[in-house]
Amino acid sequence: MAVTVHNISGEITKELLTAGDNVDLSSISLCNTNATLPCTVNLFIEQKTTASATGGTFHILKNTLLPAGATLVHDFKFDNSTFGLFVKLTKSASETPTADIIIS
């Protein structure tokens, strides 16, 4: 089983898997690495509109508060041949949100 890891810092939207990577995902682990402050996490898949597909964004987690130091593991599958996987972090106070993400 292949594992993909990401260290993310800042209020950003990051593409974790690009459509067409053809990764056979079975779970994702999201860890808030900030020692004192929670952050808000949005995890979603997105398909670009083409001649044969309607496209759109589909949320797996929406505005989910991840406490400081906490880890959330979510099991799911999706068609990575046509959908990309994205995460968006939002800070809850003045500090920069940070997270470690493991895709397996």
Side-chain angles (χ1 to χ4, degrees):
M1 169 185 359
V3 174
T4 303
V5 296
H6 297 272
N7 300 109
I8 299 175
S9 178
E11 284 193 296
I12 61 167
T13 299
K14 175 152 176 84
E15 186 171 28
L16 303 173
L17 295 174
T18 301
D21 283 347
N22 297 323
V23 172
D24 187 19
L25 177 140
S26 61
S27 72
I28 187 165
S29 169
L30 304 148
C31 177
N32 180 353
T33 56
N34 189 298
T36 57
L37 293 174
C39 69
T40 301
V41 176
N42 289 310
L43 183 68
F44 57 94
I45 58 174
E46 188 171 271
Q47 182 181 40
K48 299 204 182 325
T49 301
T50 65
S52 61
T54 305
T57 299
F58 306 92
H59 282 87
I60 298 152
L61 301 172
K62 177 85 171 157
N63 297 327
T64 302
L65 189 65
L66 192 57
T71 299
L72 172 70
V73 178
H74 187 68
D75 296 331
F76 73 102
K77 291 186 175 286
F78 72 100
D79 182 2
N80 183 226
S81 68
T82 59
F83 286 90
L85 178 65
F86 297 81
V87 67
K88 179 179 179 183
L89 299 181
T90 306
K91 64 185 173 185
S92 61
S94 60
E95 289 189 40
T96 301
T98 58
D100 288 342
I101 299 174
I102 302 171
I103 299 168
S104 57

